[in-house]
Amino acid sequence: MKVFLNKKIPQVGIDILEENNLEIITSEIENPSHREWLENCKKADLLLNVGKNKYDKEFFDACPNIKAIALFSVGFDQVDISEATKRKIPIGNTPDVLSKATSDVAFLLMQMVSRKVNYNIEKIKSGKWKDFDALEELGQELYGKTLGIFGLGRIGFEMAEKCKAAFGMNIIYHNRSQNEQAGKELGAKYVTFDELIEESDIISIHANYTPEQADLFNKAVFEKMKPNLIFINTARGGFHNEKDLLQALKSGIIWGAGLDATNPEPMDKDNPLIELPNVCVLPHIGSATIEARNGMAKLAAENIVAFAKNEKMPTCVNPEVYDN
């Protein structure tokens, strides 16, 4: 079988594909156009996808040759899962292997925002570090605060565990269902969405994104939050309305924001959010560690190999495709 790999991945993934006698197709152009990308897809049986390429009805109609897709990501919002399932095309993702790395970035952003780290670094760079000022751009402490997790899955649990251990935080969360492990081990309390946004001192998003949740965190929601609220998004930028977030920060409705996911992405270099002293933005580096990316490459390749061997993918987001 032929596998189209649209971007480079760590060698461990390549080795697994080659050891299992799969033919790897790569683009001859570093940044191919959509048409060129599609032409490569038409040459393959399987796809190992890195990035935001969209897999919808139009794609599947154009590429009836595609039998399975392995995503180099946990998120699968770029795939029309119902359409793939209808066509018996399994979709693999890479959960677990990046949970620690991504939660580390959420934890990092929370601390950077709480102490206005970006602002203070820029103060040094611009030569504005002057005499001691007891009132200049003060941060806030995190001890004993309430952390609200939106989407308490693997990554959200890791974030909650860190915050509980480091700062003795109270943990509340909103999920599609209750997380019994979090309740037992962290004393985490399940709350409604309204309770989450009204009671939290920090809100951290860790849910899987769906189009129905676009702009979920908007003007009306920000206005219900505490004025000391730190908003963290390391999931998908689509969860928040960036114009509403900017206004909430500038007007003091909420206290600060840390983003590893922006809307749109990449963020424009002139985006006014970047200039605010109470904001920290990172270029979606949640999984950017050697260990996490190696793990992602290994798992994505194993999903491909399993399909090629007529076996179930180890991590399949639509396992119903295997039902008779």
Side-chain angles (χ1 to χ4, degrees):
M1 284 188 171
K2 296 180 180 180
V3 183
F4 174 43
L5 176 60
N6 67 305
K7 289 186 179 181
K8 293 178 180 178
I9 63 171
Q11 188 62 38
V12 61
I14 303 294
D15 291 344
I16 290 170
L17 296 175
E18 291 179 341
E19 286 165 6
N20 285 275
N21 301 313
L22 288 161
E23 182 181 343
I24 301 172
I25 300 171
T26 56
S27 177
E28 296 178 3
I29 305 167
E30 188 170 342
N31 294 301
S33 66
H34 177 77
R35 183 185 60 80
E36 290 162 337
W37 166 76
L38 196 61
E39 287 304 312
N40 278 310
C41 290
K42 290 177 179 178
K43 299 174 186 176
D45 304 293
L46 313 169
L47 302 178
L48 198 163
N49 179 80
V50 183
K52 298 179 180 179
N53 298 305
K54 195 171 183 180
Y55 298 102
D56 54 12
K57 183 179 185 301
E58 183 180 350
F59 170 83
F60 292 122
D61 284 345
C63 298
N65 48 296
I66 296 301
K67 301 172 179 66
I69 301 173
L71 304 173
F72 191 83
S73 65
V74 175
F76 46 87
D77 49 289
Q78 75 268 46
V79 181
D80 185 332
I81 297 297
S82 62
E83 190 66 33
T85 303
K86 189 190 305 180
R87 298 169 189 251
K88 293 288 185 180
I89 298 172
I91 308 296
N93 69 337
T94 60
D96 295 325
V97 293
L98 47 68
S99 297
K100 290 185 183 298
T102 304
S103 66
D104 284 347
V105 168
F107 190 70
L108 171 68
L109 283 168
M110 177 184 69
Q111 293 179 86
M112 291 183 74
V113 172
S114 73
R115 296 303 296 270
K116 301 189 176 181
V117 170
N118 272 16
Y119 165 81
N120 285 295
I121 290 173
E122 287 303 317
K123 186 165 68 172
I124 297 170
K125 286 183 175 181
S126 61
K128 295 179 180 177
W129 183 4
K130 305 297 182 185
D131 292 338
F132 174 77
D133 185 336
L135 299 177
E136 185 186 10
E137 290 292 349
L138 301 182
Q140 60 169 300
E141 295 185 10
L142 299 169
Y143 300 98
K145 296 288 177 70
T146 295
L147 170 69
I149 298 282
F150 182 74
L152 206 158
R154 300 173 182 90
I155 300 171
F157 188 94
E158 291 279 350
M159 174 63 168
E161 192 172 41
K162 289 176 172 69
C163 291
K164 184 81 172 179
F167 297 110
M169 287 188 181
N170 303 305
I171 312 297
I172 61 176
Y173 69 98
H174 181 71
N175 241 19
R176 285 172 296 181
S177 59
Q178 296 194 34
N179 188 317
E180 293 184 7
Q181 181 188 4
K184 291 177 182 177
E185 297 183 19
L186 304 175
K189 177 185 173 186
Y190 177 83
V191 296
T192 66
F193 182 71
D194 283 342
E195 288 171 331
L196 185 86
I197 62 177
E198 291 170 4
E199 297 176 15
S200 298
D201 298 301
I202 301 98
I203 286 180
S204 193
I205 302 176
H206 300 286
N208 283 322
Y209 178 77
T210 63
E212 294 75 29
Q213 295 168 310
D215 292 346
L216 178 63
F217 290 86
N218 54 33
K219 183 176 185 289
V221 169
F222 290 129
E223 287 177 345
K224 294 178 182 178
M225 295 177 177
K226 294 182 179 180
N228 70 315
L229 188 282
I230 295 174
F231 178 77
I232 305 294
N233 188 358
T234 57
R236 288 289 186 269
F239 276 114
H240 67 262
N241 182 300
E242 211 140 279
K243 290 182 179 178
D244 291 353
L245 175 60
L246 174 65
Q247 188 56 40
L249 291 162
K250 289 177 71 175
S251 59
I253 290 173
I254 65 172
W255 197 84
L259 308 175
D260 190 42
T262 60
N263 186 17
E265 216 171 88
M267 176 182 274
D268 189 277
K269 65 181 180 63
D270 297 319
N271 191 311
L273 271 171
I274 303 171
E275 303 302 320
L276 297 181
N278 51 344
V279 171
C280 179
V281 180
L282 297 174
H284 213 139
I285 62 165
S287 65
T289 66
I290 295 167
E291 294 84 355
R293 293 284 169 84
N294 280 343
M296 293 168 72
K298 182 174 182 290
L299 189 47
E302 287 172 347
N303 278 329
I304 289 287
V305 168
F307 180 86
K309 291 183 174 180
N310 203 28
E311 299 171 357
K312 290 184 179 181
M313 286 183 170
T315 53
C316 183
V317 300
N318 58 340
E320 57 270 30
V321 297
Y322 296 110
D323 296 340
N324 294 325

